[in-house]
Amino acid sequence: MNQPSPLRVLVIGYVWPEPRSSAASGHVMQILDTFLQEGWDITFASPAGPGEHKADLTAMGIREVPIELNSESFDTFVRELAPDIVLFDQFMMEEQFGWRVEKHCPDALRMLETSDLQSLRHARHQRLKERLKASDDANDFTGLFAPALREEFERMADTDLARREIAALYRCDLNLMVSEVEIELLVEQFHLPREVLHWCPLMVDAPAGPAKPFGERAHFLSIGNFRHAPNWDAVLWMKNTLWPLIRARLPSAQLHVYGAYTPPKATALHNAAQGFHVMNWAEDALQVMSAARVCLAPLRFGAGIKGKLVDAMLCGTPSVTTPIGAEAMHGEHPWPGAIACTAEDLAAQAVQLYENESRWRNAQALGDTLLAEHYRRSTHAAALIEKIAQCRQNLQTLRRNNFIGGMLRHHSLKSTQYMAQWIEEKNRNKLHADQ
């Protein structure tokens, strides 16, 4: 009996994955690995140039194809590839290429991977800026951390970014969401059909062996890509407010701050005398996390879930964060460390975890439980493959039921198409003129 041909998957990435630089890329790599385990034929395409820490997809058996924006060359490429599934990594790629995929491969399942809702993150950033402008208090941010979903919607709804992002979600057949909070926001406030949203958080395996014990660890650690605005804001809050409070209680304490793409403004914060060490990029994030006693993640805004905090659990490292940092990450389970809203409480909790071995070991055990029950790779990988199969089997019904998505594709993709074709023609005329 002939075996069925493997599914052909095209992934269109905003950037080439850099799993050692960002949790977003790590999530994409986990999805790619899930597809590879199914024996699917994968092509990864991107209009971006390769980054400094780009993963070697070719070594994994994945084709790498550079593509161009606003170019009919993509039409030929996608028509010849004839993918069964197209996964857009970030909504801007759906805007750019979605209409071309629909035109040339109408039966392909169109999926969107969202590491976080960008419009939610930007709305929260704006709220923080307003709070900082209105008050000199750099300590208490309780009011920022528990808004109702309706309040989040009202801050997002009038922005162009939200209109673009939510429209892209509607236009896709399936959207992979890392945050259950964001799923509820989209369903309850933006009225997306629940069946086009699938919870797919970070997918990890249990640690291979026991984590380093309390006595073999030292120092505090903070880690995150400096290009990600929430991470940079957290570093500034630590430097100016949180870390001086910790040092007042632990005068010999040391904080190691790691991050990819360290800018000069971050390097300038390095001060060994204050125990504040800017360490640049970590070659092995799990190695440095495993050596630290406590992970600090004082995020004042953001969205999605936080890869650094999953890494902390994998390494058995208790973490201290805010409600924004822990959002959608632990369900009904206790947090493996501490959650606080003020700099004083964050500092106090961090010092207690650092000094109290019994509490530290309990937090480590809570992390093991949370990993097993919330992030198990095999559970989420199987659920993702099953959801994709259901969508492909019922694709026409799914699209018919998502009337708003079809309406948006009919209208907005026409405008996107005509704009792209206008740019394409402009570029062609410029090339001819230059010759």
Side-chain angles (χ1 to χ4, degrees), residues 59-121:
M60 299 169 59
I62 298 173
R63 271 182 234 92
E64 298 183 0
V65 179
I67 53 177
E68 295 181 44
L69 298 172
N70 304 308
S71 172
E72 62 184 5
S73 62
F74 179 84
D75 300 349
T76 303
F77 160 69
V78 77
R79 191 166 51 243
E80 292 178 351
L81 183 64
D84 301 294
I85 299 169
V86 177
L87 175 64
F88 304 102
D89 175 28
Q90 299 199 27
F91 79 89
M92 295 84 80
M93 294 298 93
E94 190 279 337
E95 285 185 326
Q96 286 286 340
F97 298 102
W99 67 270
R100 294 181 186 272
V101 170
E102 181 170 14
K103 179 179 180 181
H104 298 288
C105 306
D107 296 328
L109 180 72
R110 296 186 294 272
M111 298 168 51
L112 176 59
E113 190 275 338
T114 65
S115 296
D116 65 4
L117 273 182
Q118 295 185 35
S119 50
L120 175 61
R121 168 161 42 90

Side-chain angles (χ1 to χ4, degrees), residues 208-219:
K212 280 187 179 181
F214 179 88
E216 295 181 16
R217 295 170 179 252
H219 311 316

Side-chain angles (χ1 to χ4, degrees), residues 320-339:
V320 178
T321 189
T322 65
I324 287 289
E327 181 180 83
M329 291 202 63
H330 60 115
E332 300 299 319
H333 297 277
W335 185 253
I339 302 170

Side-chain angles (χ1 to χ4, degrees), residues 31 46 55 179 186 197 209 255 343 358 399 424:
I31 293 170
S46 177
S179 167
L186 291 169
L197 304 171
L255 171 62
S358 176
R399 289 177 176 173
E424 192 177 317

Side-chain angles (χ1 to χ4, degrees), residues 280-322:
N280 299 319
W281 182 65
E283 181 74 27
D284 187 336
L286 296 183
Q287 182 180 48
V288 297
M289 183 70 80
S290 295
R293 187 175 291 179
V294 174
C295 171
L296 299 178
L299 296 157
R300 294 192 289 188
F301 73 98
I305 60 176
K306 315 306 178 292
K308 61 177 73 64
L309 296 176
V310 172
D311 285 349
M313 292 181 238
L314 284 169
C315 297
T317 307
S319 58
V320 178
T321 189
T322 65

Side-chain angles (χ1 to χ4, degrees), residues 170-207:
Y170 262 112
R171 287 192 296 260
C172 287
D173 303 312
L174 182 63
N175 299 280
L176 307 185
M177 309 297 301
V178 299
S179 167
E180 294 168 297
V181 171
E182 292 174 10
I183 290 177
E184 294 310 308
L185 174 65
L186 291 169
V187 172
E188 294 180 14
Q189 301 300 324
F190 290 96
H191 307 300
L192 267 84
R194 192 176 290 274
E195 56 266 28
V196 304
L197 304 171
H198 177 71
W199 180 48
C200 182
L202 297 175
M203 303 180 283
V204 298
D205 294 316

Side-chain angles (χ1 to χ4, degrees), residues 33-49:
D33 185 64
T34 299
F35 294 168
L36 287 172
Q37 293 298 316
E38 294 296 308
W40 295 355
D41 186 306
I42 306 173
T43 300
F44 195 104
S46 177

